[in-house]
Amino acid sequence: MAVFKPANRIWNPTYECMPRPALDALQVERLRDRLERVCRSVPWYAEKMRSAGIRPASIRSLEDVRRLPFTTKDDLRKSYPYGAFAVPMREIVRIHASTGTTGKPTVVGYTRRDMETWMEVVARFLISGGLTEDDIVQIAFGYGLFTGGFGLHYGVEKIGAAVIPASSGNTERQILLLRDFGTTALVCTPTYAVHLGEELQKTGEELSRLRLRLGFFGGEFWTNEIREKIQALLGIFATDNYGLSEVMGPGVSGECVEQRGMHVQEDHFLFEIVHPGTLEPVPDGETGEVVLTTLTKEGMPVIRYRTRDITRVIPEPCPCGRTTRRMEKVTGRTDDMLIIRGVNIFPSQVEEVLLRFQGTAPHYLLVASREGALDRLEVKVEMSEALFTDEMKKLTEVKEALQHRLDSALGIRVKLTLVEPGSLERFIGKAKRVIDTRRF
Ligand code: DLL
């Protein structure tokens, strides 16, 4: 289905379109101020800076940020639950926690001013992706410790659009709301958007009878091919937005109507890309790990936080007029990366092959195992309904062709298993695409 392109609107041109030299100067000033604060109020941060020989007053340019030590998830875990807070508990008005899959969650606290900043940055990316005051926004992210639900909620309200706090799950009810409440914009993970789209299709509902026109998806990586699929399934214009609890939640960056990379809210977050091995900054345009420093956060500031997310800066200026730098779609996490017989493999590579290939659905699972001394990678892929009902001969041909594409895209031989439509687990939140049995 042809997708319209919304008008280019900017929520806060003062900051989003600030001339670069002024923005750089603002970042340095805010960085110095945050460092001073952190050193005053978080003992382990003060110690970290002292051991690295850093005095906040000596930070004079953005180059100086390279001298600062990194913060890792482990540092934050060690300070569980409130040891990374930089203000007394009386100033904290909200607590969230990250969706850790192992061990304890990372706890994050927000002051009233942090809440205002959060609403502001979410409002910015919603407006940049085409939202208006007239929209009715169905939020199908979980409301709870996860930052997705509440984070988006207050940003939508700030703009003055109407929120339907549907929360996650119960696809039947989501479809009912979409239809009966006249939802115009959908907010959820891209995986759930695909699921919702497929379920909607099964009901035989005609898209032209819905009012849906926009989608804001984030919380996990997704490819441009998935975007096309979602846009067609739901008849919408879809944009990507990125964030993480440790830094703020959603709102760190988001796409504009160009749909080409996410503008980082650089007046609030200092953004670097470093080589995950050497930890040295890479030149603009080269791929590496995202490192973020909060420039205004009061409750729980972080300095050079290693996100483990892999992407690159898009060096060209954006036609939308914003001066903030854009990050390319995240291609994966360093901890989702599998090393199979010395070759680095990301789930996104498999997804790209599948989406360009007829006969399979974008539901897949990578299973790494070890046989003797040899690593093995099995790729389980759901067949489409059409292929499933086709004759055996066709099935074998498709399997061979897909095997060939996967082997050449990944650079290793994989074991391909085609499974029945609907047999792999569906996710209402973030998808889990990798099982590595070698770690246990
Ligand atoms: O997922 C915050 C969020 C909620 C962002 C809703 C956007 C929308 P966490 O649960 O702490 O916070 O997980 C953060 O999710 O480090 C990335 O690995 C991944 N992630 C988030 N957004 C994207 C995205 C929220 N647009 C972790 N593309 C991050 C790729 C994403 N990965």
Side-chain angles (χ1 to χ4, degrees):
M1 169 174 297
V3 179
F4 77 104
K5 181 176 173 182
N8 175 29
R9 288 173 65 214
I10 300 179
W11 176 255
N12 191 336
T14 310
Y15 289 105
E16 293 179 78
C17 306
M18 199 175 224
R20 262 336 290 194
L23 186 52
D24 291 353
L26 181 74
Q27 286 193 316
V28 176
E29 185 192 313
R30 290 187 166 176
L31 174 65
R32 202 168 36 231
D33 175 64
R34 265 326 88 170
L35 276 177
E36 266 160 17
R37 204 182 166 102
V38 145
C39 288
R40 262 198 323 265
S41 24
V42 186
W44 61 265
Y45 253 131
E47 181 48 40
K48 230 181 203 298
M49 297 301 157
R50 228 186 342 264
S51 344
I54 304 289
R55 276 184 312 106
S58 69
I59 300 296
R60 298 223 170 76
S61 74
L62 286 178
E63 288 287 293
D64 288 336
V65 76
R66 291 164 174 234
R67 298 197 286 124
L68 302 177
F70 292 96
T71 306
T72 62
K73 182 126 188 145
D74 225 36
D75 290 322
L76 300 182
R77 265 207 199 111
K78 276 190 224 144
S79 59
Y80 178 84
Y82 300 145
F85 288 11
V87 295
M89 209 55 192
R90 131 176 49 92
E91 290 178 35
I92 296 288
V93 298
R94 177 79 71 78
I95 293 169
H96 280 281
S98 76
T99 44
T101 44
T102 51
K104 292 176 188 155
T106 311
V107 184
V108 292
Y110 303 74
T111 64
R112 198 169 295 286
R113 197 167 144 225
D114 292 338
M115 293 305 299
E116 273 157 25
T117 307
W118 197 8
M119 287 184 224
E120 160 77 20
V121 289
V122 171
R124 286 187 197 172
F125 82 70
L126 289 170
I127 290 284
S128 78
L131 201 78
T132 70
E133 301 76 341
D134 296 323
D135 277 296
I136 302 176
V137 187
Q138 184 165 332
I139 300 186
F141 274 136
Y143 277 66
L145 287 178
F146 175 52
T147 51
F150 283 105
L152 265 295
H153 184 102
Y154 288 97
V156 173
E157 281 194 356
K158 174 138 185 132
I159 289 172
V163 187
I164 307 174
S167 200
S168 58
N170 199 340
T171 305
E172 242 173 72
R173 197 187 49 167
Q174 300 281 0
I175 291 176
L176 178 134
L177 295 176
L178 275 183
R179 198 177 42 218
D180 295 355
F181 285 27
T183 303
T184 60
L186 176 67
V187 171
C188 57
T189 57
T191 311
Y192 190 64
V194 173
H195 180 58
L196 200 57
E198 287 175 347
E199 291 302 304
L200 187 72
Q201 210 169 38
K202 283 186 201 157
T203 66
E205 182 76 45
E206 283 192 25
L207 287 180
S208 57
R209 295 191 41 210
L210 298 182
R211 293 185 56 209
L212 203 55
R213 61 181 203 101
L214 298 172
F216 296 88
F217 306 119
E220 61 179 4
F221 92 83
W222 52 311
T223 54
N224 279 319
E225 286 79 4
I226 280 281
R227 182 201 318 260
E228 274 159 36
K229 185 174 173 83
I230 295 175
Q231 293 192 146
L233 269 173
L234 292 167
I236 55 174
F237 181 87
T239 47
D240 190 2
N241 64 88
Y242 167 87
L244 58 160
S245 331
E246 293 84 347
V247 171
M248 178 62 95
V252 172
S253 64
E255 278 181 334
C256 62
V257 290
E258 297 301 321
Q259 292 180 312
R260 178 73 221 290
M262 297 179 278
H263 289 274
V264 181
Q265 312 294 354
E266 288 184 281
D267 49 328
H268 294 290
F269 311 105
L270 184 68
F271 166 71
E272 299 170 79
I273 305 268
V274 303
H275 185 284
T278 64
L279 299 184
E280 287 300 321
V282 300
D284 267 5
E286 273 181 32
T287 302
E289 179 179 336
V290 177
V291 169
L292 289 162
T293 300
T294 56
L295 293 174
T296 52
K297 206 134 159 261
E298 297 179 332
M300 203 191 94
V302 286
I303 308 293
R304 295 196 95 194
Y305 183 69
R306 287 190 59 188
T307 64
R308 310 240 163 230
D309 294 320
I310 304 288
T311 189
R312 65 182 197 99
V313 167
I314 300 176
E316 303 83 44
C318 185
C320 77
R322 288 176 182 80
T323 49
T324 43
R325 287 188 303 162
R326 283 173 295 166
M327 53 187 264
E328 184 73 86
K329 273 173 134 0
V330 172
T331 49
R333 290 179 54 79
T334 51
D335 33 14
D336 252 1
M337 184 183 81
L338 288 165
I339 304 181
I340 306 285
R341 303 194 286 275
V343 179
N344 298 350
I345 309 246
F346 284 103
S348 54
Q349 292 170 286
V350 171
E351 187 165 309
E352 262 169 40
V353 172
L354 295 183
L355 285 158
R356 291 210 189 104
F357 193 85
Q358 290 285 310
T360 53
H363 301 293
Y364 62 95
L365 183 68
L366 274 59
V367 186
S369 58
R370 184 162 288 149
E371 272 173 22
L374 204 65
D375 289 340
R376 224 175 64 128
L377 180 65
E378 179 179 11
V379 180
K380 291 187 178 180
V381 177
E382 264 186 30
M383 288 176 267
S384 64
E385 291 284 350
L387 181 64
F388 186 57
T389 46
D390 265 344
E391 58 198 91
M392 199 60 193
K393 184 164 161 285
K394 173 98 190 292
L395 200 72
T396 315
E397 275 171 20
V398 167
K399 189 170 175 202
E400 274 170 13
L402 181 58
Q403 174 85 52
H404 178 71
R405 298 253 187 111
L406 281 173
D407 290 350
S408 57
L410 303 180
I412 55 160
R413 173 112 187 134
V414 299
K415 177 176 186 313
L416 172 64
T417 311
L418 290 179
V419 299
E420 283 179 31
S423 62
L424 291 179
E425 188 183 347
R426 296 292 191 267
F427 302 89
I428 54 165
K430 303 187 187 208
K432 185 164 170 49
R433 305 284 193 202
V434 175
I435 296 179
D436 191 348
T437 59
R438 300 170 302 170
R439 287 182 194 147
F440 307 109

